Amino acid sequence: SERWRIQYAGNMPSRWAAFEPNGWLAKPLYSNMSVAAVVGKTVFVHAGLTKDHLEKYGGIEKMNQDARNWFLEEYPEELQNDDGYKFQTVEEVIDNANLRASTASKTMPECLGGGIGAASPVWMRDYSSPSDSIPRSPKAQQMIDECLAEIGYGVERMVMGHTPQNQINAALKGKAWRIDVGASRGVMNGTPEVLEIIHQGGENDEDIISILTVEGDRIPASERLLIEIPF
C-alpha cells in the first residue's frame, strides 16, 4: 500500500524505526542487552573493556543497566513513531526518523558512545588492532591486565569482536581473544569460525579453549596464540 511505501521508504528510516530506542524491536532485543558480561573465567564485550571504563561507568552491571534503560526509554509523544499514519511524504518519514535519532543521541550513555576511533567499550581497538597481529598500543598488555584484575572473580581473558580478523586469534598472553572474522558479506565475507570455551573442562579445573571451523576441525588455542617476540 502507499502507507507501507511511505513508512519504509529508504533504508535508514526503516532500520531506525525497527531498531531505535523504544522502537518496534527494542523490548525483545534490548531489554536483556549487556554491554559486557562475565561467564565463568571470561568477560565478553563488543570492542574492549578497561579499568578506566569500570571506574568511570560504575562497573559492568551499571553499564548494562544504563544501556537497557536508554534503549527502552520512550520518546516524547510528538516524536513517537506512529507507523506512518501522520506522514504524507517520504521526506516527512526521513525527517522524523532523523529527529528521533538526534534526540535519542543526546541522552545516550557514554559507555555506548563515541564513534570511529573512540575509546568506549563498543568502539575501542586497543586490544584488537592491527588485525591478526600484536596490538599496536604499547599499553595494551598493562590495560588488559589491570582490567581483568579489577573485574576479579577469577576472570582470565576477554573475548571481543568489532575489529575483523582473518581468523580467530588471541594476543596479549592469551588474554585478548579477537573473534570477529568479518563473516558478513557486507564486511569482508570471511570464513565463519567459533570460539569454544569448555569451562573447567581440563586438568585442575582449567578451561579448554578451541576454535571450531566449517571444515569440522577443532583447533587448540595454542595454535592461534600470537606471541610477541622481543628484539
Side-chain angles (χ1 to χ4, degrees):
S1 70
E2 186 61 30
R3 283 290 174 189
W4 186 93
R5 292 180 182 278
I6 288 176
Q7 177 61 30
Y8 290 89
N11 182 53
M12 184 171 64
S14 62
R15 283 180 59 83
W16 185 254
F19 295 104
E20 67 185 324
N22 199 42
W24 299 329
L25 298 179
K27 189 171 183 179
L29 284 181
Y30 305 135
S31 59
N32 293 310
M33 173 189 166
S34 294
V35 177
V38 174
V39 181
K41 301 175 184 178
T42 307
V43 59
F44 297 84
V45 63
H46 177 69
L49 203 58
T50 68
K51 180 180 179 181
D52 182 61
H53 291 151
L54 298 174
E55 295 175 342
K56 186 175 183 180
Y57 306 136
I60 289 177
E61 189 48 47
K62 179 66 163 55
M63 282 192 293
N64 292 343
Q65 192 59 58
D66 287 348
R68 292 168 192 156
N69 291 343
W70 179 72
F71 276 117
L72 299 177
E73 183 178 0
E74 290 192 11
Y75 287 119
E77 184 176 352
E78 64 272 15
L79 287 181
Q80 290 183 10
N81 188 352
D82 68 350
D83 295 346
Y85 288 100
K86 70 180 179 183
F87 303 131
Q88 301 300 316
T89 67
V90 170
E91 287 72 23
E92 289 179 4
V93 176
I94 295 173
D95 288 345
N96 190 271
N98 287 335
L99 182 57
R100 296 198 309 276
S102 63
T103 301
S105 67
K106 294 175 182 177
T107 59
M108 181 171 61
E110 194 174 349
C111 62
L112 297 177
I116 296 175
S120 76
V122 297
W123 283 104
M124 67 175 287
R125 300 185 191 273
D126 298 74
Y127 306 143
S128 57
S129 181
S131 302
D132 305 294
S133 300
I134 301 298
R136 182 181 297 110
S137 171
K139 296 183 179 180
Q141 186 70 62
Q142 178 183 347
M143 289 167 60
I144 200 168
D145 289 346
E146 291 178 348
C147 181
L148 297 180
E150 182 70 15
I151 293 172
Y153 302 107
V155 172
E156 298 177 353
R157 68 190 69 86
M158 188 180 300
V159 174
M160 67 206 68
H162 188 53
T163 303
Q165 316 283 319
N166 286 307
Q167 59 183 16
I168 290 176
N169 62 76
L172 305 177
K173 300 179 181 178
K175 296 183 179 182
W177 278 95
R178 294 95 63 88
I179 65 170
D180 187 341
V181 292
S184 168
R185 205 179 300 177
V187 180
M188 63 184 199
N189 203 29
T191 302
E193 291 187 333
V194 173
L195 181 68
E196 177 189 64
I197 303 174
I198 301 178
H199 181 57
Q200 296 182 339
E203 295 183 6
N204 301 316
D205 289 334
E206 291 295 315
D207 291 351
I208 299 176
I209 303 177
S210 307
I211 296 87
L212 310 182
T213 72
V214 293
E215 291 81 15
D217 297 323
R218 176 177 275 106
I219 300 173
S222 58
E223 295 186 18
R224 293 291 183 85
L225 179 62
L226 302 176
I227 300 175
E228 185 171 8
I229 300 176
F231 291 96

